Amino acid sequence: MNQLFQFLLRQRNFLLFFVLELISLWSVFKYNDYQRTLYFNTTNQWVASLLAQKQEVQNYYQLRDINRELAAENAKLRQDVFQLKAKQAPDLKLPYFISEAVLNRYQPVACKVIDLSTQQSQNYLTIDKGTKDGLHPGMAVISSTGVVGKILSCTENLSLVISILHINNTVSAKLKSSGELGYVKWAGWQPEVAEMMDVSKYKKVVKGDTVVTSDYNAVFPPNVPIGIVAKLGLKKDGNFHDIKIMLLTHFSTLQYVYVIKNRLAWQQAKLEQSKPKPE
């Protein structure tokens, strides 16, 4: 305590000067309208600026929660779309009824992409859900605009997805206008361009037609968009169209995807395994 008093005593002149300065400044702003107005306007601008920056920071961190909520809501809407498409009866003379199980066959699960590649010949994605969320290898993965890939492996909380941008990955597909079947395969070059294979040259194909997943697809639901026909030609053998399509999924900006749970997948697999083997 004595040291504190000694310090104050040594600095008494400076402390007195500092106190008198504070009193002078207070008097200037207290008894002069111009200075008082200038002070309040300046401090209000500072406070407003600080509050605006604080609000921007809060909004930035809230965007992640908002995007997560929107992705979950879009997953519910996509499930409704699957149900509506399933209800669309084919053009048959006899009445067609769909069971409740088939109607609710597909259930989308929103997931966030935490890692992906697009510049390799074999590209993959990592998403933030795994077996704990009911995911398992073989499930289809789509985006809000088109096909993404399928799950290759899972841990409890994460899953590895083999991208459609993989030279060994193919997707059963059809032309939306004609229903002509084929399959889509990535050539390993441009991440925006793929090829539709095995479409006979005698079948009509037009630029601008949409390529979607086929009805005979063991992984993807039918009619999920894949790409748009951008270029036409003939293969070297002269028997098939050379079809280049622009993929509808933009992998460079991909943030959220939807894993499609197929509630009837195990029944289909069990039935197909029970097929008699050819003698």
Side-chain angles (χ1 to χ4, degrees):
M1 185 63 70
N2 291 333
Q3 292 180 352
L4 176 61
F5 286 136
Q6 290 176 4
F7 172 78
L8 295 175
L9 184 62
R10 288 195 303 269
Q11 302 295 330
R12 63 184 180 277
N13 293 331
F14 173 77
L15 293 175
L16 178 60
F17 170 78
F18 183 73
V19 171
L20 291 175
E21 282 292 323
L22 290 178
I23 294 173
S24 299
L25 288 173
W26 177 79
S27 300
V28 168
F29 290 109
K30 177 69 175 179
Y31 298 107
N32 293 276
D33 292 337
Y34 175 77
Q35 284 82 357
R36 184 168 63 252
T37 302
L38 181 64
Y39 167 75
F40 280 114
N41 288 341
T42 303
T43 54
N44 286 338
Q45 289 178 358
W46 288 347
V47 171
S49 177
L50 289 173
L51 290 175
Q53 292 179 3
K54 177 184 176 183
Q55 187 63 40
E56 288 180 2
V57 172
Q58 289 178 341
N59 290 340
Y60 174 78
Y61 284 104
Q62 287 174 353
L63 282 176
R64 290 182 295 184
D65 295 332
I66 293 172
N67 288 337
R68 191 179 298 110
E69 292 174 0
L70 288 174
E73 185 175 348
N74 286 338
K76 295 179 181 178
L77 293 174
R78 188 165 289 277
Q79 184 171 9
D80 292 338
V81 170
F82 287 144
Q83 291 179 349
L84 288 173
K85 288 183 177 180
K87 287 180 180 179
Q88 294 177 352
D91 187 15
L92 298 174
K93 295 181 179 180
L94 296 175
Y96 172 77
F97 300 99
I98 187 169
S99 68
E100 190 72 19
V102 174
L103 187 62
N104 297 297
R105 180 177 184 176
Y106 300 109
Q107 178 190 1
V109 179
C111 304
K112 182 169 177 38
V113 177
I114 60 177
D115 187 37
L116 82 163
S117 62
T118 60
Q119 302 301 321
Q120 310 298 321
S121 61
Q122 300 177 349
N123 294 290
Y124 301 88
L125 302 87
T126 305
I127 56 178
D128 67 346
K129 286 184 172 62
T131 56
K132 184 178 179 181
D133 305 285
L135 308 189
H136 58 76
M139 285 185 170
V141 182
I142 66 174
S143 69
S144 58
T145 55
V147 167
V148 173
K150 61 182 178 181
I151 293 180
L152 182 65
S153 59
C154 299
T155 64
E156 185 177 3
N157 297 298
L158 301 172
S159 294
L160 183 66
V161 178
I162 180 171
S163 171
I164 193 175
L165 304 181
H166 191 294
I167 58 173
N168 296 325
N169 193 11
T170 60
V171 178
S172 177
K174 67 179 180 180
L175 295 169
K176 188 175 182 180
S177 61
S178 64
E180 183 63 28
L181 296 175
Y183 68 91
V184 170
K185 181 179 176 64
W186 186 54
W189 303 106
Q190 297 172 284
E192 304 87 8
V193 181
E195 298 180 359
M196 186 172 183
M197 316 291 288
D198 284 1
V199 178
S200 171
K201 68 176 182 179
Y202 300 107
K203 302 297 181 180
K204 183 179 179 180
V205 183
V206 295
K207 289 184 180 180
D209 196 1
T210 303
V211 179
V212 299
T213 54
S214 73
D215 301 87
Y216 310 107
N217 201 310
V219 177
F220 294 92
N223 300 310
V224 176
I226 301 175
I228 303 295
V229 176
K231 186 178 179 181
L232 287 171
L234 282 178
K235 292 289 187 182
K236 293 181 179 180
D237 59 11
N239 294 320
F240 297 95
H241 284 291
D242 184 5
I243 305 173
K244 300 293 190 296
I245 66 172
M246 295 295 295
L247 295 174
L248 290 173
T249 296
H250 302 289
F251 286 88
S252 60
T253 57
L254 195 60
Q255 295 186 4
Y256 286 89
V257 295
Y258 304 95
V259 177
I260 308 301
K261 290 183 178 180
N262 183 352
R263 293 188 173 99
L264 301 182
W266 67 274
Q267 295 187 34
Q268 181 177 353
K270 186 176 180 180
L271 279 173
E272 292 177 354
Q273 289 175 0
S274 66
K275 293 178 182 178
K277 295 182 180 180
E279 298 179 358

